[in-house]
């Protein structure tokens, strides 16, 4: 009978010990001074168990102080010292890790992760883990260079390419990019950012580059030299010959147009004459001027007597004409006529 009771008690303890969710966390975590750190705390969700409360506490003095609380109403940061730089992940079920940003030296302490669940029978179960946080000042590591595209360090001309310099250490980390020169000359500083951008990449950008990184503590570190090659696209001989031929044709056409225009202007002849015609009444003088248009054709006008026949196209052999009556002397008609017309004065016969 005593043996049976012992077995039942052992079975009950096994259910209590292994039937509830189990928190997992490391004993200690080290974070960089002025950097960010994540203090892990996770558990495997069990069917029927509902998380109702998450607490993070920090040990200051004798009694731990609650700095973070998550319940049904949401997240609550209990200490102003941690506001704006503390958060707990809720995206992954069972992950209640604490992220602490911009570490200070006085953040070194022991932190407690505490989780409360509601069991299937309506009771509550509480589990906790204590993790030590260490804060250290780290000198910067040797930076590495990666490319922001799938082309590697050989790219076609015209592409937008980025070279990224990455190092680890106590922030802030200052980066600089250099391009090596020939003939043992000093490298040229080309950028003071972690990312070197070529937009677009040109053949002249080809060369050997390296980056440097400097943290708050420690000496400056330099990356390995990487060769960045931009491949140009050479035109085939046929394309070069075609481009040269087109240029020659354009030059020839422009020269021909200019020569034709100059010759056309020289063929225009303007003649202006005045003929006195007085009316029976001595009321004044009247002048009649016939203005004829001439095309670029070398054919002469068949008749210089103005008529009443008109053609909409002056280049079809029929001349356009305009009759103008002027009641005063017009001694400078030549200067007011358009260069596209020939002016010819005809004698007034008394007929309009």
């Amino acid at each position: 009978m005593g043996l049976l009771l012992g077995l039942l008690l052992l079975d009950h303890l096994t259910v209590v010990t292994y039937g509830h969710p189990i928190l997992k966390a490391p004993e200690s975590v080290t974070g960089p001074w002025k950097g960010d750190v994540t203090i892990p705390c996770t558990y495997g969700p069990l069917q029927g168990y509902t998380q109702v409360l998450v607490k993070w506490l920090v040990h200051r003095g004798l009694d731990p102080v609650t700095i973070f609380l998550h319940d049904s109403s949401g997240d609550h940061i209990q200490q102003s010292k941690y506001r704006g730089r503390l958060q707990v992940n809720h995206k992954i079920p069972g992950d209640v890790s604490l992220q602490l940003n911009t570490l200070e030296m006085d953040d070194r302490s022991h932190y407690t992760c505490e989780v409360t669940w509601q069991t299937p029978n309506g009771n509550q179960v509480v589990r906790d883990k204590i993790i030590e946080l260490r804060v250290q000042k780290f000198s910067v590591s040797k930076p590495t260079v990666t490319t922001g595209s799938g082309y590697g360090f050989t790219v076609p001309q015209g592409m937008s390419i980025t070279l990224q310099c990455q190092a680890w250490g106590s922030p802030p980390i200052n980066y600089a990019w250099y391009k090596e020169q020939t003939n043992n000359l000093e490298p040229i500083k080309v950028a003071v950012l972690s990312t070197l951008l070529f937009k677009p990449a040109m053949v002249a950008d080809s060369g050997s580059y390296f980056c440097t990184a400097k943290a708050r503590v420690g000496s400056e570190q330099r990356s390995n030299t990487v060769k960045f090659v931009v491949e140009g696209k050479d035109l085939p001989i046929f394309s070069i010959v075609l481009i040269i031929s087109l240029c020659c044709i354009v030059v020839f056409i422009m020269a021909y147009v200019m020569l034709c225009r100059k010759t056309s202007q020289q063929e225009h002849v303007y003649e202006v004459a005045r003929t006195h015609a007085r009316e029976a009444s001595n009321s004044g003088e009247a002048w009649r001027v016939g203005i004829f248009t001439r095309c670029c054709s070398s054919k002469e006008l068949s008749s210089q007597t103005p008529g009443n026949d008109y053609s909409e196209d002056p280049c079809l052999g029929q001349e356009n004409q305009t009759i103008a009556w002027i009641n005063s002397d017009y001694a400078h008609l030549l200067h007011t006529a358009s260069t596209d017309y020939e002016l010819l004065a005809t004698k007034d016969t008394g007929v309009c």
Side-chain angles (χ1 to χ4, degrees):
M1 186 67 178
L3 181 60
L4 180 61
L5 291 176
L7 292 175
L8 290 175
L9 180 61
L10 180 61
D11 183 66
H12 176 71
L13 291 176
T14 303
V15 171
V16 172
T17 303
Y18 298 100
H20 301 314
I22 300 175
L23 283 180
K24 297 180 181 180
E27 292 184 358
S28 64
V29 174
T30 302
W33 175 55
K34 296 297 183 181
D36 305 334
V37 68
T38 298
I39 306 177
C41 185
T42 60
Y43 66 89
L46 292 179
Q47 185 176 2
Y49 285 79
T50 304
Q51 174 186 300
V52 295
L53 186 64
V54 175
K55 280 186 180 182
W56 276 94
L57 304 93
V58 61
H59 296 259
R60 304 288 188 191
L62 298 177
D63 297 326
V65 178
T66 301
I67 61 175
F68 177 84
L69 174 66
H70 174 78
D71 55 16
S72 59
S73 61
D75 294 346
H76 307 280
I77 298 177
Q78 304 294 318
Q79 300 290 322
S80 59
K81 171 182 173 63
Y82 297 96
R83 289 174 184 169
R85 63 188 193 98
L86 183 153
Q87 60 182 351
V88 173
N89 182 24
H90 302 295
K91 296 181 179 179
I92 302 176
D95 188 358
V96 292
S97 301
L98 175 70
Q99 181 177 344
L100 190 59
N101 302 327
T102 318
L103 288 177
E104 298 291 346
M105 298 305 295
D106 61 357
D107 288 328
R108 294 177 296 182
S109 185
H110 287 80
Y111 291 78
T112 298
C113 172
E114 181 183 295
V115 181
T116 302
W117 297 271
Q118 183 175 345
T119 64
N121 58 12
N123 297 326
Q124 289 189 348
V125 176
V126 180
R127 293 289 184 267
D128 60 42
K129 279 287 185 178
I130 298 177
I131 308 103
E132 180 186 3
L133 174 61
R134 301 169 182 172
V135 180
Q136 292 184 3
K137 295 181 179 180
F138 292 98
S139 59
V140 70
S141 63
K142 182 178 180 179
T144 58
V145 178
T146 58
T147 179
S149 66
Y151 290 97
F153 297 109
T154 300
V155 298
Q157 179 175 298
M159 298 298 297
S160 296
I161 303 299
T162 57
L163 297 181
Q164 297 175 346
C165 184
Q166 297 175 332
W168 188 84
S170 295
I173 300 177
N174 298 319
Y175 295 94
W177 278 96
Y178 295 86
K179 182 178 183 181
E180 292 186 345
Q181 302 297 301
T182 57
N183 300 327
N184 295 325
L185 298 177
E186 289 293 328
I188 299 177
K189 182 182 290 187
V190 294
V192 291
L193 299 173
S194 61
T195 301
L196 183 60
L197 175 63
F198 298 91
K199 186 180 180 180
M202 308 300 293
V203 175
D205 296 326
S206 299
S208 297
Y209 294 84
F210 66 88
C211 69
T212 61
K214 178 71 169 64
R216 286 179 176 266
V217 295
S219 60
E220 183 179 79
Q221 298 294 321
R222 170 177 168 170
S223 71
N224 294 331
T225 300
V226 294
K227 189 174 182 180
F228 182 64
V229 179
V230 181
E231 295 180 342
K233 299 178 181 179
D234 297 332
L235 292 176
I237 299 178
F238 173 77
S239 299
I240 297 176
V241 173
L242 180 61
I243 293 174
I244 295 176
S245 301
L246 292 176
C247 292
C248 294
I249 293 174
V250 171
V251 172
F252 176 77
I253 293 175
M254 292 179 64
Y256 177 79
V257 171
M258 295 178 63
L259 180 62
C260 179
R261 182 176 179 182
K262 183 176 180 181
T263 305
S264 175
Q265 290 179 352
Q266 292 177 350
E267 289 181 353
H268 288 287
V269 179
Y270 304 96
E271 297 178 0
V272 179
R274 295 195 307 173
T275 304
H276 291 276
R278 292 185 176 277
E279 301 293 337
S281 61
N282 296 327
S283 59
E285 293 182 343
W287 310 84
R288 186 176 64 181
V289 179
I291 305 175
F292 295 86
T293 63
R294 174 176 296 180
C295 297
C296 295
S297 175
S298 59
K299 296 180 180 181
E300 295 294 331
L301 297 176
S302 60
S303 174
Q304 296 192 6
T305 302
N308 292 329
D309 295 329
Y310 296 92
S311 174
E312 294 181 356
D313 189 353
C315 294
L316 296 178
Q318 186 176 4
E319 303 293 336
N320 290 345
Q321 58 182 347
T322 303
I323 306 299
W325 290 87
I326 305 173
N327 293 325
S328 61
D329 289 339
Y330 200 83
H332 302 286
L333 181 59
L334 179 62
H335 300 290
T336 62
S338 171
T339 58
D340 294 333
Y341 297 93
E342 177 183 6
L343 306 181
L344 181 62
T346 60
K347 185 175 180 181
D348 186 10
T349 59
V351 181
C352 296

